[in-house]
Amino acid sequence: TIPIPCSLLASPTMDAQPAADPEDVAVAIKHEPGRRPPQSGRNKRIGIVAGVVLLLAIAVGVGYWWLRELRPRDTSRATVATSSGTTNTSESNSTGSSAGEDGDSSSSSTSSEGDGLPLGFFDSDDDIALNSVGFLPNGPKLATIETATCGKPWTLYNTANGRIVATGSTRPFVFPDESGTSWFPPFFPDDVLCLANFTAFSSPGTYRLEVKDAGKTEPFVIADHPYDVVLDQVMGYFYLARCGMKVTAIKDTRLVTHADRTGRPFEHDECHLADGHIDLAHTGEEGDERVKDGTGGWHDAGDHGKYTVNTAFTIGMMLYAWEHYADQLRCMQIEGIKSLDDDLPYYLDELKWGLDWVLKMQADDGRVYHKLTAEKFESPWEMPDADDAKRWYAPWGTAATANLVAVAAQASRTFGALGTHDDYAATLLAAARLSYAKLKETPEPVIPDQSEFSTGMYIGVVDGNPHHDVSIRLWAAAELYETTGEVEFLEDFEDMLRTFDTPTEGCTGSFNRSTLCKVPDEVDWNQQRNMGVFRYLLLSEDRRGARDPDLVAEAERQLALVVDRFLRTADRHEYSRTLGNFTKWGVNGEVVRQTLFFRTAELVLGNQTDYARAHNFAVDHVLGRNEYARSYITKVGTRPAKYPHHRPSFAYLDAWPGMMIGGPNPRWWDFWVDYKSNEIAINWQAGLVYAFAHFYGACAA
């Protein structure tokens, strides 16, 4: 229904009034020059009808635009079977060959255009969904095409000289047993989804794909390191999200640093320098109200709050990236970001900013406060430096306490290995030991009372995971064992892991947080068990001998089942999405965090070819090979997210760069107010960092 202003509706008693005397009307008009004579009831009704018709026309126009511009591509639209009945998975859907393979060696030659394209807003036809930034020479190169029928010719052009370098035809998707199906209703049921596969072409350069009746793409690259600038932009967002300091514009000319519409630099002044206050009502502590230093850290998401559980999980993901890809990440440099510690690589310098804040959340007896926020969320357009609301510590909880233990013990190894930060490593380990002792004194979960707050809860039990607390304790014990080698921590870990006793054959993936599998199919702030289990499976050589071999074998089998399910799902989906059609709040974060599963599986189980292929699919997804044919990262790739639920972006009326939005839940609405599908968050951002770190090549350059 369309609301009609009350002023347009006639009073129900209007027609019952006696008619005005013509002479009285004339007198009124004489004494009120410029006033129009009263209209008859018929004319008023005509005006009302005309107004309603106009509003309906506007609504229809907006609806049509929404269907055309914001619709997802519907994967249930007539997935076509081939007459031969052959199986065409993401790997076997061969659609053409490079021109050079037909004997014309000169036609496949191309000059290298470098390892990346400038970031920014590209606009292209949305009937072609592909990774809009680029591809590895030897990696999969797939595009999902929406057309009336498959079999349309496609052409790959070298943008430097306009030459055709590869050709082929789109092919229908055929899956081994069942088709991928969409959670979206069909808007245009006559369309089908087809595959263009140009994996065989591998020459570095800059290219454009054109498909008959579907249009053409913006330029993308084939390069050894196509995502270096993307990762730098993504990491730059953590700097922009810093709390408690003046954030000046990034000066790196490779990156987006200023608003498109106004040229205003992305920056803010010092903020939240009064963090934070402690009292009985908000924190549950007796005595007079007092202030405890809680400055620093990162703003958590679309709001300006700081949450221990999510910040610690975020740092843990990013420390895993350092452990697995330190040889690449140690060379990261972003011009215009001043180092806090000149002896640290930039990547660890940023992580230390978050770690220092987590340490401030610890009380003297080892308890860890759950969060530091105002009582309620800020206004939607409020900049951090304009936010003067009083901010409070929430009470302590065992989840936040276990999270500090885990990430402090993990970081202690990382910083200790540098040889330049032994004191800091010792501080981290001491903090981890203190809080672990508090956990041992408090075997039952302590859930903080947040009744004085309407900001984010970050309580796993509320979010559907009754095992939230023990899963984080398990991670904490694993990290302490790896750091210290003390068997007590290994025994604690294995005792907790044994409580997750679902038989392995039942652990093939269900996206159910209440599962008792040792390796669940999810890793997020509210499902952290895998952070500890992966550590257990990846223990250093001198720590592995004391493990229970039966527990190790069971965990390895469950890991294999989960990652193989992800692969099978991708090979049965038109966008090679490892989650299939599953959605949730922050689903894009889950897609990119799955790359931690694949890398762990590579290191533990081998089989690098399949797991590396799935890693590519995750990156393809967020950069444009999805139902919307859009990049989910602001200011990166083709038709990127433009209106994220993020207060500084709303204040600027322009998206801040390098942020990944949460994604369909169950749909994606690219608008400021839609926090369910269009918000940003540091835990999603951390998964994005891990995914792109796999391909990073700054040291090679």
Side-chain angles (χ1 to χ4, degrees):
T1 59
I2 300 176
I4 301 174
C6 294
S7 60
L8 295 181
L9 299 177
S11 167
T13 60
M14 183 179 294
D15 292 337
Q17 299 299 319
D21 187 282
E23 291 184 4
D24 293 337
V25 172
V27 170
I29 293 174
K30 179 179 180 181
H31 287 286
E32 298 182 37
R35 175 180 169 181
R36 299 179 61 188
Q39 295 181 350
S40 68
R42 178 173 178 276
N43 289 342
K44 288 186 177 181
R45 285 192 291 274
I46 291 173
I48 292 171
V49 171
V52 170
V53 170
L54 177 62
L55 290 174
L56 285 171
I58 292 172
V60 170
V62 170
Y64 176 77
W65 171 83
W66 182 82
L67 290 177
R68 290 298 302 171
E69 297 301 319
L70 300 183
R71 74 184 192 279
R73 13 196 49 64
D74 174 35
T75 58
S76 66
R77 281 179 248 166
T79 300
V80 182
T82 60
S83 58
S84 65
T86 57
T87 295
N88 292 327
T89 66
S90 296
E91 282 295 283
S92 60
N93 272 302
S94 180
T95 63
S97 61
S98 73
E101 292 175 342
D102 292 329
D104 181 6
S105 61
S106 62
S107 65
S108 63
S109 64
T110 167
S111 61
S112 174
E113 299 291 325
D115 276 7
L117 290 173
L119 302 183
F121 182 80
F122 289 134
D123 199 0
S124 70
D125 197 296
D126 65 354
D127 290 334
I128 304 175
L130 85 172
N131 181 329
S132 57
V133 170
F135 303 91
L136 299 174
N138 296 319
K141 305 173 190 70
L142 308 174
T144 301
I145 316 297
E146 178 185 336
T147 54
T149 60
C150 296
K152 303 288 186 180
W154 59 258
T155 306
L156 188 66
Y157 292 93
N158 183 328
T159 61
N161 52 32
R163 296 179 62 184
I164 297 173
V165 296
T167 60
S169 298
T170 61
R171 296 283 298 275
F173 287 92
V174 177
F175 302 108
D177 45 27
E178 61 183 41
S179 168
T181 55
S182 173
W183 57 90
F184 300 113
F187 293 124
F188 302 97
D190 291 336
D191 289 345
V192 296
L193 296 176
C194 311
L195 179 70
N197 186 339
F198 52 103
T199 300
F201 185 78
S202 60
S203 297
T206 304
Y207 303 95
R208 184 193 295 269
L209 179 68
E210 185 169 340
V211 182
K212 184 179 181 181
D213 297 336
K216 59 186 177 182
T217 68
E218 290 292 334
F220 56 83
V221 300
I222 296 176
D224 290 333
H225 304 289
Y227 313 124
D228 285 7
V229 180
V230 179
L231 179 53
D232 289 347
Q233 187 80 74
V234 168
M235 274 300 297
Y237 174 69
F238 280 95
Y239 167 73
L240 296 177
R242 286 185 190 176
C243 180
M245 66 171 285
K246 181 179 178 64
V247 171
T248 57
I250 297 173
K251 301 297 193 298
D252 199 316
T253 57
R254 302 168 303 141
L255 308 182
V256 177
T257 60
H258 290 67
D260 293 334
R261 186 173 59 85
T262 63
R264 182 180 176 187
F266 295 113
E267 60 186 8
H268 66 75
D269 211 339
E270 293 177 329
C271 62
H272 305 115
L273 296 179
D275 281 356
H277 296 262
I278 291 175
D279 72 352
L280 179 61
H282 298 85
T283 323
E285 295 191 5
E286 301 284 351
D288 296 335
E289 179 182 321
R290 63 188 178 90
V291 174
K292 171 179 166 60
D293 179 19
T295 55
W298 300 300
H299 300 132
D300 180 73
D303 64 305
H304 303 325
K306 297 182 290 192
Y307 304 84
T308 309
V309 170
N310 203 40
T311 299
F313 171 77
T314 294
I315 296 169
M317 277 293 306
M318 295 173 74
L319 285 170
Y320 261 119
W322 178 263
E323 293 171 22
H324 295 166
Y325 306 112
D327 286 344
Q328 293 98 300
L329 294 173
R330 61 185 173 83
C331 297
M332 177 180 284
Q333 291 183 332
I334 301 177
E335 295 298 324
I337 298 181
K338 185 180 185 303
S339 294
L340 302 169
D341 185 333
D342 292 335
D343 292 330
L344 285 176
Y346 165 71
Y347 185 88
L348 293 181
D349 194 57
E350 190 62 61
L351 265 59
K352 187 174 182 295
W353 180 260
L355 277 165
D356 288 347
W357 176 78
V358 172
L359 292 177
K360 291 181 179 181
M361 296 299 286
Q362 186 181 52
D364 292 341
D365 62 355
R367 293 173 299 123
V368 178
Y369 298 106
H370 192 71
K371 69 183 181 184
L372 204 172
T373 75
E375 291 180 344
K376 59 183 180 180
F377 288 119
E378 311 81 12
S379 66
W381 47 83
E382 191 160 40
M383 287 291 292
D385 50 16
D387 177 19
D388 58 1
K390 199 170 187 178
R391 289 155 62 101
W392 303 89
Y393 285 85
W396 84 287
T398 46
T401 303
N403 264 128
L404 180 143
V405 174
V407 76
Q410 185 182 15
S412 176
R413 293 194 308 277
T414 298
F415 284 86
L418 298 175
T420 56
H421 287 72
D422 292 347
D423 290 345
Y424 187 60
T427 297
L428 289 164
L429 182 56
R433 287 184 181 277
L434 177 64
S435 287
Y436 195 79
K438 187 65 181 179
L439 291 174
K440 297 285 279 189
E441 293 173 10
T442 319
E444 295 300 318
V446 173
I447 300 175
D449 176 9
Q450 300 181 64
S451 56
E452 293 294 318
F453 300 87
S454 60
T455 51
M457 296 281 286
Y458 284 103
I459 298 294
V461 175
V462 173
D463 205 52
N465 182 0
H467 317 298
H468 177 62
D469 188 86
V470 68
S471 291
I472 310 176
R473 291 175 185 248
L474 181 150
W475 178 27
E479 296 294 355
L480 276 171
Y481 174 64
E482 173 72 326
T483 301
T484 68
E486 296 172 16
V487 178
E488 170 200 353
F489 300 124
L490 177 63
E491 292 172 347
D492 287 351
F493 171 88
E494 292 186 333
D495 286 346
M496 287 185 278
L497 187 60
R498 290 187 186 98
T499 65
F500 296 95
D501 57 0
T502 296
T504 291
E505 57 269 20
C507 294
T508 58
S510 63
F511 303 114
N512 180 357
R513 293 192 187 112
S514 64
T515 177
L516 288 174
C517 294
K518 292 177 174 61
V519 180
D521 52 8
E522 184 181 14
V523 59
D524 201 351
W525 71 264
N526 49 16
Q527 179 61 288
Q528 300 188 40
R529 187 151 68 251
N530 282 328
M531 299 292 278
V533 176
F534 292 171
R535 173 65 58 219
Y536 182 64
L537 295 177
L538 294 169
L539 285 172
S540 54
E541 203 68 48
D542 60 338
R543 302 279 193 260
R544 296 177 186 176
R547 296 182 301 180
D548 180 335
D550 292 335
L551 272 180
V552 172
E554 191 172 5
E556 288 181 352
R557 286 197 300 271
Q558 291 189 18
L559 173 61
L561 285 173
V562 170
V563 293
D564 288 347
R565 178 179 180 268
F566 290 158
L567 279 166
R568 290 197 311 274
T569 301
D571 285 341
R572 288 161 175 78
H573 195 270
E574 289 88 342
Y575 297 92
S576 304
R577 194 171 184 265
T578 51
L579 284 173
N581 297 320
F582 176 78
T583 66
K584 66 167 190 170
W585 194 322
V587 69
N588 284 341
E590 194 62 41
V591 169
V592 291
R593 283 192 303 270
Q594 282 186 339
T595 58
L596 176 60
F597 284 82
F598 297 126
R599 180 57 178 159
T600 302
E602 283 183 342
L603 296 172
V604 173
L605 307 173
N607 189 16
Q608 296 191 13
T609 301
D610 276 349
Y611 300 146
R613 177 165 61 91
H615 205 125
N616 280 278
F617 291 159
V619 169
D620 289 350
H621 171 78
V622 297
L623 290 176
R625 191 173 177 233
N626 54 58
E627 291 81 357
Y628 296 86
R630 297 180 61 183
S631 168
Y632 287 128
I633 307 173
T634 57
K635 307 295 185 185
V636 174
T638 295
R639 302 175 64 236
K642 293 186 69 177
Y643 311 110
H645 183 77
H646 172 247
R647 281 159 175 78
S649 294
F650 199 177
Y652 271 55
L653 294 180
D654 197 341
W656 282 39
M659 306 181 299
M660 183 178 70
I661 56 94
N665 181 32
R667 300 185 63 87
W668 175 32
W669 187 28
D670 188 10
F671 197 58
W672 310 113
V673 299
D674 186 21
Y675 55 88
K676 289 187 177 181
S677 71
N678 211 41
E679 190 170 9
I680 61 94
I682 56 175
N683 56 316
W684 309 338
Q685 202 80 1
L688 198 60
V689 168
Y690 186 93
F692 283 123
H694 181 78
F695 306 101
Y696 199 59
C699 291

mmCIF file of all heavy atoms in Angstrom, residues 10 31 51 63 96 112 146 224 249 330 354 356 359 374 391 438 456 517 604 609 622 663 690:
data_model
loop_
_atom_site.group_PDB
_atom_site.id
_atom_site.type_symbol
_atom_site.label_atom_id
_atom_site.label_comp_id
_atom_site.label_asym_id
_atom_site.label_seq_id
_atom_site.Cartn_x
_atom_site.Cartn_y
_atom_site.Cartn_z
ATOM 1 N N ALA A 10 -10.391 14.003 2.113
ATOM 2 C CA ALA A 10 -11.493 14.857 2.557
ATOM 3 C C ALA A 10 -11.936 14.446 3.942
ATOM 4 O O ALA A 10 -11.910 13.274 4.305
ATOM 5 C CB ALA A 10 -12.655 14.742 1.582
ATOM 6 N N HIS A 31 -11.809 40.257 0.623
ATOM 7 C CA HIS A 31 -10.940 40.633 1.744
ATOM 8 C C HIS A 31 -9.630 39.830 1.787
ATOM 9 O O HIS A 31 -8.747 40.154 2.566
ATOM 10 C CB HIS A 31 -11.694 40.449 3.073
ATOM 11 C CG HIS A 31 -12.742 41.493 3.291
ATOM 12 N ND1 HIS A 31 -12.455 42.786 3.635
ATOM 13 C CD2 HIS A 31 -14.110 41.437 3.176
ATOM 14 C CE1 HIS A 31 -13.562 43.509 3.756
ATOM 15 N NE2 HIS A 31 -14.595 42.693 3.469
ATOM 16 N N GLY A 51 -3.230 12.202 -7.732
ATOM 17 C CA GLY A 51 -2.072 12.049 -6.855
ATOM 18 C C GLY A 51 -1.724 10.603 -6.605
ATOM 19 O O GLY A 51 -0.555 10.209 -6.617
ATOM 20 N N GLY A 63 10.365 0.276 -8.856
ATOM 21 C CA GLY A 63 10.406 -1.179 -8.823
ATOM 22 C C GLY A 63 11.052 -1.775 -10.054
ATOM 23 O O GLY A 63 11.845 -2.712 -9.966
ATOM 24 N N GLY A 96 36.465 -23.327 -24.902
ATOM 25 C CA GLY A 96 37.190 -22.761 -26.037
ATOM 26 C C GLY A 96 38.679 -22.888 -25.828
ATOM 27 O O GLY A 96 39.136 -23.418 -24.839
ATOM 28 N N SER A 112 52.978 -7.296 -21.374
ATOM 29 C CA SER A 112 52.516 -7.282 -19.984
ATOM 30 C C SER A 112 52.103 -5.875 -19.597
ATOM 31 O O SER A 112 52.780 -4.911 -19.863
ATOM 32 C CB SER A 112 53.636 -7.764 -19.054
ATOM 33 O OG SER A 112 53.247 -7.635 -17.715
ATOM 34 N N GLU A 146 24.600 -14.559 -18.150
ATOM 35 C CA GLU A 146 23.143 -14.607 -18.188
ATOM 36 C C GLU A 146 22.667 -14.211 -19.585
ATOM 37 O O GLU A 146 22.832 -13.065 -20.006
ATOM 38 C CB GLU A 146 22.555 -13.651 -17.151
ATOM 39 C CG GLU A 146 21.040 -13.602 -17.156
ATOM 40 C CD GLU A 146 20.506 -12.552 -16.201
ATOM 41 O OE1 GLU A 146 21.216 -12.195 -15.245
ATOM 42 O OE2 GLU A 146 19.380 -12.080 -16.440
ATOM 43 N N ASP A 224 50.898 -12.423 -12.274
ATOM 44 C CA ASP A 224 51.379 -13.276 -11.190
ATOM 45 C C ASP A 224 50.841 -12.836 -9.836
ATOM 46 O O ASP A 224 50.624 -13.667 -8.952
ATOM 47 C CB ASP A 224 52.912 -13.269 -11.151
ATOM 48 C CG ASP A 224 53.520 -14.009 -12.337
ATOM 49 O OD1 ASP A 224 52.854 -14.924 -12.865
ATOM 50 O OD2 ASP A 224 54.646 -13.654 -12.740
ATOM 51 N N ALA A 249 44.697 11.265 5.878
ATOM 52 C CA ALA A 249 44.477 10.596 4.601
ATOM 53 C C ALA A 249 45.708 9.779 4.203
ATOM 54 O O ALA A 249 46.852 10.230 4.353
ATOM 55 C CB ALA A 249 44.157 11.615 3.516
ATOM 56 N N ARG A 330 55.658 -9.592 4.923
ATOM 57 C CA ARG A 330 56.673 -8.770 5.596
ATOM 58 C C ARG A 330 57.092 -7.561 4.770
ATOM 59 O O ARG A 330 57.648 -6.601 5.299
ATOM 60 C CB ARG A 330 57.895 -9.619 5.942
ATOM 61 C CG ARG A 330 58.591 -10.240 4.750
ATOM 62 C CD ARG A 330 59.734 -11.176 5.160
ATOM 63 N NE ARG A 330 60.285 -11.889 4.016
ATOM 64 C CZ ARG A 330 61.198 -11.391 3.192
ATOM 65 N NH1 ARG A 330 61.657 -10.156 3.397
ATOM 66 N NH2 ARG A 330 61.650 -12.093 2.180
ATOM 67 N N GLY A 354 45.746 -3.157 17.522
ATOM 68 C CA GLY A 354 44.603 -3.882 18.064
ATOM 69 C C GLY A 354 44.947 -4.659 19.318
ATOM 70 O O GLY A 354 44.175 -4.697 20.286
ATOM 71 N N ASP A 356 47.243 -4.032 21.604
ATOM 72 C CA ASP A 356 47.430 -3.156 22.760
ATOM 73 C C ASP A 356 46.093 -2.812 23.410
ATOM 74 O O ASP A 356 45.988 -2.709 24.638
ATOM 75 C CB ASP A 356 48.154 -1.870 22.336
ATOM 76 C CG ASP A 356 49.619 -2.101 22.017
ATOM 77 O OD1 ASP A 356 50.139 -3.185 22.343
ATOM 78 O OD2 ASP A 356 50.246 -1.204 21.420
ATOM 79 N N LEU A 359 44.757 -5.822 25.454
ATOM 80 C CA LEU A 359 45.427 -5.892 26.760
ATOM 81 C C LEU A 359 44.829 -4.905 27.755
ATOM 82 O O LEU A 359 44.755 -5.187 28.964
ATOM 83 C CB LEU A 359 46.920 -5.627 26.597
ATOM 84 C CG LEU A 359 47.730 -6.685 25.850
ATOM 85 C CD1 LEU A 359 49.187 -6.241 25.700
ATOM 86 C CD2 LEU A 359 47.654 -8.040 26.544
ATOM 87 N N ALA A 374 29.119 3.074 24.045
ATOM 88 C CA ALA A 374 28.075 3.887 24.659
ATOM 89 C C ALA A 374 26.883 2.982 24.986
ATOM 90 O O ALA A 374 26.861 1.798 24.638
ATOM 91 C CB ALA A 374 27.661 5.013 23.716
ATOM 92 N N ARG A 391 31.092 6.545 27.235
ATOM 93 C CA ARG A 391 31.268 5.132 26.877
ATOM 94 C C ARG A 391 31.698 4.333 28.102
ATOM 95 O O ARG A 391 32.517 4.776 28.902
ATOM 96 C CB ARG A 391 32.271 5.005 25.728
ATOM 97 C CG ARG A 391 31.668 5.520 24.406
ATOM 98 C CD ARG A 391 32.708 5.990 23.432
ATOM 99 N NE ARG A 391 33.650 5.008 22.988
ATOM 100 C CZ ARG A 391 33.613 4.347 21.812
ATOM 101 N NH1 ARG A 391 32.608 4.551 20.973
ATOM 102 N NH2 ARG A 391 34.570 3.510 21.473
ATOM 103 N N LYS A 438 42.450 -17.315 35.695
ATOM 104 C CA LYS A 438 41.096 -16.887 36.044
ATOM 105 C C LYS A 438 40.072 -17.848 35.449
ATOM 106 O O LYS A 438 39.061 -18.184 36.091
ATOM 107 C CB LYS A 438 40.845 -15.464 35.539
ATOM 108 C CG LYS A 438 39.525 -14.877 36.005
ATOM 109 C CD LYS A 438 39.511 -14.714 37.522
ATOM 110 C CE LYS A 438 38.206 -14.161 38.028
ATOM 111 N NZ LYS A 438 38.192 -14.038 39.515
ATOM 112 N N GLY A 456 26.060 -3.942 20.292
ATOM 113 C CA GLY A 456 26.270 -5.340 19.942
ATOM 114 C C GLY A 456 26.498 -6.230 21.151
ATOM 115 O O GLY A 456 27.217 -5.859 22.090
ATOM 116 N N CYS A 517 30.652 -31.712 16.445
ATOM 117 C CA CYS A 517 31.789 -32.165 15.643
ATOM 118 C C CYS A 517 33.069 -31.496 16.139
ATOM 119 O O CYS A 517 33.049 -30.354 16.596
ATOM 120 C CB CYS A 517 31.575 -31.828 14.172
ATOM 121 S SG CYS A 517 30.203 -32.729 13.416
ATOM 122 N N VAL A 604 48.050 -29.923 6.172
ATOM 123 C CA VAL A 604 47.866 -31.140 6.959
ATOM 124 C C VAL A 604 47.654 -32.360 6.073
ATOM 125 O O VAL A 604 48.196 -33.442 6.342
ATOM 126 C CB VAL A 604 46.670 -30.973 7.924
ATOM 127 C CG1 VAL A 604 46.356 -32.287 8.639
ATOM 128 C CG2 VAL A 604 46.956 -29.876 8.945
ATOM 129 N N THR A 609 46.292 -28.962 -5.279
ATOM 130 C CA THR A 609 45.629 -28.485 -6.495
ATOM 131 C C THR A 609 44.170 -28.151 -6.239
ATOM 132 O O THR A 609 43.699 -27.047 -6.548
ATOM 133 C CB THR A 609 45.732 -29.533 -7.613
ATOM 134 O OG1 THR A 609 47.108 -29.786 -7.875
ATOM 135 C CG2 THR A 609 45.051 -29.033 -8.872
ATOM 136 N N VAL A 622 34.008 -12.569 -4.174
ATOM 137 C CA VAL A 622 33.885 -11.221 -3.609
ATOM 138 C C VAL A 622 34.248 -10.136 -4.614
ATOM 139 O O VAL A 622 33.876 -8.978 -4.440
ATOM 140 C CB VAL A 622 34.731 -11.065 -2.324
ATOM 141 C CG1 VAL A 622 34.226 -12.019 -1.248
ATOM 142 C CG2 VAL A 622 36.205 -11.273 -2.579
ATOM 143 N N GLY A 663 26.941 -9.064 2.699
ATOM 144 C CA GLY A 663 26.422 -9.886 1.618
ATOM 145 C C GLY A 663 25.010 -10.384 1.844
ATOM 146 O O GLY A 663 24.401 -10.118 2.888
ATOM 147 N N TYR A 690 43.175 -12.603 5.014
ATOM 148 C CA TYR A 690 43.747 -13.944 4.903
ATOM 149 C C TYR A 690 43.640 -14.461 3.472
ATOM 150 O O TYR A 690 44.596 -15.026 2.918
ATOM 151 C CB TYR A 690 43.046 -14.907 5.872
ATOM 152 C CG TYR A 690 43.707 -16.257 5.897
ATOM 153 C CD1 TYR A 690 44.696 -16.547 6.829
ATOM 154 C CD2 TYR A 690 43.395 -17.228 4.954
ATOM 155 C CE1 TYR A 690 45.350 -17.777 6.828
ATOM 156 C CE2 TYR A 690 44.040 -18.452 4.936
ATOM 157 C CZ TYR A 690 45.018 -18.718 5.881
ATOM 158 O OH TYR A 690 45.673 -19.926 5.853
#
